Amino acid sequence: MWTTIVSGITLAASLMTGSVSHPATDTTAAPNLTGIGSLIDQTVTAQLAKDKIPGAAVVVVAGGKTVYAQGYGVADTATDAPVDPVRTEFFTGSIAKVFTATAVAQLIQQGKIDPHADVNTYLKGFQITDAFPGRPVTVENLLTHTGGFDDDPVGAAVSDPKDVPPLGRYLADNEPSRVRPPGTLAAYDNYGAALAGYLVECVSGEPFAQYMQDHLFGPLQMDASTFLQPHPPAIQANLAKGYRPEGSGWTAENGQYGGWSPTGAGTVATATDVGKFMMAQLAKDPRLGAGVADLVQRQHFTMDPRLPGMAYFFEERPRDGQRILFKDGDVPGFHGDMALLPDRDIGVYVVYNGDGTDGIAGWDGKALINQVVDKLFPTAGAGASAAATPTATAPAPVKDPKLDSYTGSYRSDRISRGAVTRVAGLVSFVTVIENSDGTLTTNGLSQNPKIGDQRWIPLGSGEFAEQGGQDRLVFDGHGHLATTIDPTIAYYRLAWYNSPKLHLPMLYGGAGILATGLLAFPILALVRRLRGRPAHSRWARNARVLAWVSGLLATGFVIELLTMTGDSNAFTEKVMLGSPSLTLLVAVNTLLAVCTVGLIAGSAAAWRLGWWRPVGRLAYSVTATGAVSFLIVAFTYNLVWP
C-alpha cells in the first residue's frame, strides 16, 4: 500500500545503488546521485506515517531524463487505490503559476505582449483602476508579485467545478484594492497571477485553458494535465482525493476549484507530467518557444540587490551555494513543491494529497527538497552563504550602529488591508530583538514550524546572516524587512499602537471583562431581588440587560473564533469557500458595536443619574471600557462591518 514504483522508469533502482550518473550542463562535475532514491523513499514514507498524510508522489529529473519517479500511499482512502506517479492526478495549486508564466513569456517573445506595458493595454471587457496615477500595473509586475493588489482569498474557491465562473467576468467582478505602488515590494498575489492568465486569453484570442493545451501541454506531451474545469473524464477518473486528518482517520477536503484558474485553481497534473515541464525548462526546450525558458528563469525583481528575488513566478531560493528556482502550490488537501537547479540540470517535484497534522504537509515538501540538495552538494554546509557562490566559512560579524532601529514587530505585506483575513495579522507577525552581543533574534520568519527563534549576525548596512544557517536578512532603511526565506514577501515595521503585542491583550482583556459581566450582572440582579431591595428604574434595568447581551456577543465571538481556528486545515477550507461562519462572526461584532454605543451612554447616565451604588457604576464603566477595547481591535482587523 505504501509504495508504487512506476513501470517504465528503469533508473530508480540504479539510483539507489549509485550506478547511474548524468552529465552536468556546464564544466562543473556532475553531482553524485548515489543514494538519492533511498533518501527520498525513507523520508517520504516517514512523513506519511508521522504526519498523517494519505499519499504522495516524487519525481526527480536530471540530464534530460526522468531518473526517479515513485508513488507512496493511497490516492483514495475509501478504495486504497495506490498512488501512481504516471497515472494519479494531483491538484497542482500555485505550481500552475509557472505554467502560466511560460505562456505569457511565449507571447512576449513573439512580440505580442510588452512586459513593461500597462496591463490595461491588453485587457478586454474591463480596466484596472488607476489608483496610482502615472504608475500603472505592468505585465512584469503581475509575473513578479509586484502589482500592489490587496490579498483577499475569502470565497475564491468553489466545491463544484460546474460553478466556476468565466475567468474574465470573475476578475472584473472581484478586483481587489491596490494598496501600494506597483514595482515597489513583492507581495504574493493570486489576483495578479490570474490577470496574467487572462492577458493570454485576450491577446491570443483563445480561451485560457485551450491556449495552455495547444501551446504548452500538447507540445510537451503533458497529456495528463489540464486547466479545464470540470476536468475531462479520462483525467477525472484518476484524480486523487485530498484530505485533512480527523481523529484516527481523514476527512475529504473541498475548495480546489475556482475562478482564478491561471493561479492553479482546478489545475491538475500527474507527477511525471510536471517532470516533463521541468525537463523542458532545464533544457530550454525549443518546444517552449525561442528564448522562453531564459526569459522565465531570469531574475526580474529583487527587493534588495543583496538578496535573490523573483524570476517569472519562480522564486530564487538558493541553498548550499546553488541557484534554485522554486515554486510551491497549496489548495485544501493538496501541497506540492518544485525546485529547479538550472546550473546542474536537476529538477525535483513532490506532491501530497493530505494537509498533514497542523498543515505540516506545506513544509514537508520543502524539507525533502532541502535534504536532497544537501546530499547532492554537501560541501557548502550549514554556514554557507546564501549567494550563488558557495563558501565554507561563516561570515565575520560587523558592528551595525543602527541595530536598535531594527527592533520591533513586523507584519507581512501579504496580510490583507481590507478583508476579514486581516485577522491573520493578529496572530502571525515577526518580532525582532536586539541582543547584547550585537546580533539580532527574530521569531516568526522561518517556514519550518519546528524553528521559532533565529539568530542573525550583522554584516553591515542593514544586512544579516543567519547564525548556523544559510539565510540572509536585509533591512532597507524605510521600515521594511526582506529575506532569502521567501522572496515573495516583505515585512513592514509596526508602530507600537499597531502591534499585535498590544492588540492581543486588548482583545482578550476586553472579552474577559465582557464575559465577567455576562455572569455577574444576572447574579447581582438576583441578589438584589432576594434581599428585597427596590427595583431600579426601567432605564437602569435596560442598561444592565444591554451589558449582559454585550457579554454574550463577545463570549460567543471568541468561542466561535477559537473553534474555527482550532483546526488550521479546516479553517483554510472555510476561508477559501467563504463560509457563512465568517459572515456570522463579523455580524456578531457589528451588533456588539451597536451595543457598545449604548454601554457608553448607559455609563454616562449611571454616573449622572445615580443609578446603583458607586461600585456598580464603576463596574458598568469598566464593562463599557472592555467593550471599547475589544472593538478597537475588531475594527483594526476588519472584524466589524464598516
Side-chain angles (χ1 to χ4, degrees):
M1 175 173 126
W2 283 111
T3 309
T4 301
I5 300 179
V6 184
S7 59
I9 306 299
T10 59
L11 296 177
S14 299
L15 269 175
M16 292 189 182
T17 62
S19 62
V20 174
S21 63
H22 297 272
T25 56
D26 58 11
T27 57
T28 306
N32 185 354
L33 299 173
T34 302
I36 290 299
S38 296
L39 170 66
I40 293 171
D41 189 67
Q42 293 169 10
T43 301
V44 176
T45 300
Q47 287 175 340
L48 299 193
K50 178 173 62 73
D51 299 332
K52 295 191 66 176
I53 301 171
V58 183
V59 168
V60 179
V61 300
K65 299 178 181 178
T66 300
V67 297
Y68 189 82
Q70 193 160 336
Y72 299 84
V74 297
D76 186 334
T77 60
T79 64
D80 280 349
V83 171
D84 180 338
V86 172
R87 298 181 67 251
T88 303
E89 302 280 355
F90 289 87
F91 285 94
T92 66
S94 290
I95 285 174
K97 287 182 173 69
V98 294
F99 303 160
T100 297
T102 302
V104 177
Q106 288 175 340
L107 296 172
I108 290 173
Q109 289 299 95
Q110 294 167 19
K112 297 178 180 178
I113 289 180
D114 177 354
H116 305 294
D118 185 342
V119 296
N120 285 331
T121 305
Y122 306 105
L123 289 176
K124 296 180 180 178
F126 69 99
Q127 296 278 280
I128 296 301
T129 304
D130 186 16
F132 297 93
R135 303 193 68 173
V137 178
T138 68
V139 178
E140 188 156 289
N141 292 149
L142 302 181
L143 298 173
T144 56
H145 296 300
T146 58
F149 293 104
D150 196 17
D151 185 50
D152 182 6
V154 178
V158 296
S159 298
D160 190 337
K162 295 178 182 177
D163 295 333
V164 173
L167 175 58
R169 189 183 76 197
Y170 187 80
L171 291 169
D173 293 344
N174 294 276
E175 181 188 345
S177 58
R178 292 174 58 192
V179 295
R180 69 185 65 81
T184 52
L185 294 172
Y188 198 90
D189 180 10
N190 279 302
Y191 182 87
L195 194 61
Y198 185 56
L199 295 183
V200 171
E201 186 170 300
C202 292
V203 172
S204 70
E206 294 183 64
F208 175 75
Q210 189 62 52
Y211 179 94
M212 299 304 291
Q213 177 60 42
D214 293 344
H215 301 276
L216 185 67
F217 294 157
L220 298 185
Q221 297 181 316
M222 295 171 64
D223 300 326
S225 303
T226 187
F227 277 90
L228 286 172
Q229 302 178 83
H231 305 138
I235 286 179
Q236 184 66 26
N238 293 315
L239 183 61
K241 292 183 179 178
Y243 299 91
R244 65 173 180 266
E246 187 167 286
S248 59
W250 292 282
T251 294
E253 293 263 40
N254 291 303
Q256 297 91 11
Y257 303 94
W260 287 344
S261 58
T263 70
T267 309
V268 296
T270 62
T272 50
D273 262 16
V274 176
K276 294 175 183 177
F277 175 80
M278 292 193 295
M279 285 188 286
Q281 283 285 345
L282 290 168
K284 300 178 181 177
D285 195 318
R287 291 176 296 175
L288 295 175
V292 168
D294 281 323
L295 182 61
V296 169
Q297 296 176 35
R298 189 169 68 242
Q299 185 190 95
H300 295 277
F301 177 82
T302 179
M303 287 185 275
D304 188 281
R306 294 168 290 182
L307 296 177
M310 290 297 304
Y312 279 168
F313 286 144
F314 272 118
E315 304 157 17
E316 295 179 318
R317 297 198 186 188
R319 186 173 181 86
D320 297 324
Q322 309 302 312
R323 182 176 187 248
I324 297 177
L325 296 174
F326 177 84
K327 189 71 196 80
D328 56 4
D330 305 278
V331 292
F334 293 86
H335 303 272
D337 296 271
M338 175 199 295
L340 300 183
L341 286 73
D343 298 331
R344 301 290 187 164
D345 198 15
I346 294 173
V348 183
Y349 174 64
V350 54
V351 60
Y352 306 87
N353 66 320
D355 292 326
T357 306
D358 296 325
I360 191 65
W363 168 251
D364 279 344
K366 298 171 181 63
L368 175 65
I369 289 172
N370 286 346
Q371 290 181 57
V372 170
V373 175
D374 290 346
K375 186 171 182 62
L376 291 175
F377 307 100
T379 56
S385 166
T389 303
T391 175
T393 58
V398 175
K399 185 176 181 180
D400 192 327
K402 297 182 179 180
L403 202 66
D404 61 344
S405 69
Y406 307 139
T407 61
S409 297
Y410 289 75
R411 179 173 294 149
S412 164
D413 64 354
R414 189 182 177 184
I415 298 292
S416 176
R417 301 294 203 274
V420 68
T421 50
R422 184 171 179 79
V423 71
L426 187 60
V427 294
S428 175
F429 57 97
V430 173
T431 57
V432 179
I433 301 171
E434 178 185 0
N435 301 315
S436 59
D437 62 356
T439 63
L440 290 178
T441 295
T442 64
N443 186 283
L445 279 178
S446 177
Q447 294 181 328
N448 184 346
K450 296 179 181 179
I451 294 179
D453 289 348
Q454 293 172 279
R455 203 172 186 92
W456 303 86
I457 301 168
L459 303 180
S461 302
E463 182 181 7
F464 293 78
E466 183 186 11
Q467 188 175 69
Q470 300 190 37
D471 284 309
R472 293 291 174 96
L473 178 156
V474 169
F475 297 90
D476 70 354
H478 301 288
H480 297 110
L481 179 164
T483 76
T484 58
I485 297 171
D486 187 344
T488 70
I489 294 176
Y491 299 85
Y492 58 95
R493 194 166 184 259
L494 299 170
W496 67 268
Y497 51 83
N498 278 329
S499 172
K501 291 185 176 181
L502 172 65
H503 293 161
L504 283 169
M506 288 177 63
L507 180 73
Y508 289 116
I513 291 171
L514 289 167
T516 301
L518 174 66
L519 299 174
F521 284 116
I523 293 173
L524 291 174
L526 179 62
V527 169
R528 185 177 185 85
R529 177 173 293 184
L530 292 175
R531 291 180 176 178
R533 292 177 180 170
H536 289 302
S537 68
R538 179 168 61 90
W539 287 106
R541 292 197 304 272
N542 289 344
R544 279 191 164 175
V545 169
L546 189 63
W548 182 85
V549 170
S550 298
L552 180 64
L553 291 171
T555 302
F557 172 88
V558 171
I559 291 174
E560 178 63 15
L561 181 64
L562 293 176
T563 300
M564 288 177 62
T565 57
D567 184 338
S568 60
N569 299 325
F571 184 63
T572 298
E573 182 187 59
K574 286 179 181 292
V575 170
M576 296 298 294
L577 291 172
S579 169
S581 301
L582 295 171
T583 303
L584 177 62
L585 282 177
V586 177
V588 165
N589 275 346
T590 303
L591 288 175
L592 179 58
V594 175
C595 291
T596 300
V597 174
L599 289 176
I600 295 171
S603 182
W607 289 100
R608 182 176 181 182
L609 301 178
W611 295 343
W612 320 305
R613 295 181 178 181
V615 67
R617 297 173 216 160
L618 181 61
Y620 197 88
S621 298
V622 169
T623 301
T625 302
V628 170
S629 175
F630 182 93
L631 282 172
I632 286 174
V633 180
F635 273 108
T636 299
Y637 293 91
N638 302 328
L639 294 172
V640 181
W641 279 322

